[in-house]
Amino acid sequence: MDLTSWLITAGLGAFHGLNPAMGWLFAVALGLQERSRAAVLRALPPIVLGHAGLVLLTLTLVAAARTATPPKFVSYGVAGLVCCFGLWRLLRRRHPRWVGMRVTRWQLAGWSFLMAGAHGAGLMLLPVTLRGEDTAVLALTGQALASTAAHTLAMLAVTTGLALLVYDRLGVAVLRKAWFNLDLAWGVALVGAGISAVLV
């Protein structure tokens, strides 16, 4: 991947980190419940690892498909899938509910994995990773791992910063006063990513 692809991959990680549904709000809620800043920090690694697991699984499955299928077919299939998922996110705004506030780290990671899947987090990265022409198994696997790492580090930085800012300074009441509909932006971004997959 070129520098632009790496920057987009990291930028998407930062974008995912901004979304409360990706976990920072849950971390803050756990911290407030336990009245502990440490609880916020303890919640972040499983949240980020669950997200990373979904992204890596998605990229690996598509990498496997690219070794057995002509790249253009994969690009068109990804484009259709991502566009349809983006439209579904635009039309259906409800979030899945699975766990309460008393959770283990494994449950928190599982929740994060499911939320990332429900929001199409892994799908959003596919148009970026489809840019390369290499279809060798080792090259694609390495690219999936490296892309996941870059994406995850950016997400971790933003998620941690936001969780601590809200917990330490702003409080969750700020969400009532200053709120941007990230679900709308998320759906539009998915549709845009799907269209770009055809243009790769």
Side-chain angles (χ1 to χ4, degrees):
M1 296 199 314
D2 57 18
L3 179 60
T4 302
S5 297
W6 287 117
L7 291 174
I8 293 171
T9 299
L12 287 171
F15 178 55
H16 291 177
L18 280 174
N19 191 339
M22 292 294 100
W24 67 259
L25 186 57
F26 203 155
V28 171
L30 289 171
L32 292 172
Q33 176 183 286
E34 297 184 25
R35 297 181 181 179
S36 167
R37 190 176 194 264
V40 177
L41 295 173
R42 279 197 307 271
L44 293 172
I47 287 170
V48 172
L49 287 175
H51 185 95
L54 185 281
V55 169
L56 181 59
L57 177 63
T58 304
L59 296 183
T60 302
L61 288 174
V62 172
R66 288 185 72 188
T67 63
T69 311
K72 274 296 176 190
F73 287 176
V74 176
S75 293
Y76 291 142
V78 164
L81 179 63
V82 175
C83 279
C84 287
F85 197 88
L87 290 171
W88 179 75
R89 288 298 311 156
L90 286 170
L91 297 173
R92 187 178 184 277
R93 304 278 181 83
R94 289 189 310 165
H95 292 95
R97 294 181 182 181
W98 176 50
V99 295
M101 293 304 293
R102 296 289 181 183
V103 291
T104 66
R105 291 183 183 182
W106 287 110
Q107 287 174 325
L108 197 52
W111 170 85
S112 179
F113 183 93
L114 291 176
M115 288 299 287
H119 284 79
L123 297 178
M124 202 178 284
L125 280 171
L126 292 178
V128 182
T129 60
L130 288 174
R131 289 182 173 195
E133 295 296 325
D134 200 339
T135 56
V137 175
L138 285 177
L140 291 174
T141 303
Q143 180 179 304
L145 287 168
S147 297
T148 301
H151 178 84
T152 302
L153 288 173
M155 182 195 171
L156 176 62
V158 173
T159 300
T160 302
L162 266 175
L164 293 178
L165 177 66
V166 172
Y167 182 82
D168 289 337
R169 303 283 180 192
L170 303 177
V172 291
V174 72
L175 298 178
R176 295 192 201 102
K177 300 173 186 174
W179 182 252
F180 175 71
N181 188 346
L182 281 171
D183 279 342
L184 178 62
W186 198 276
V188 170
L190 280 165
V191 173
I195 293 170
S196 74
V198 180
L199 304 177
V200 170

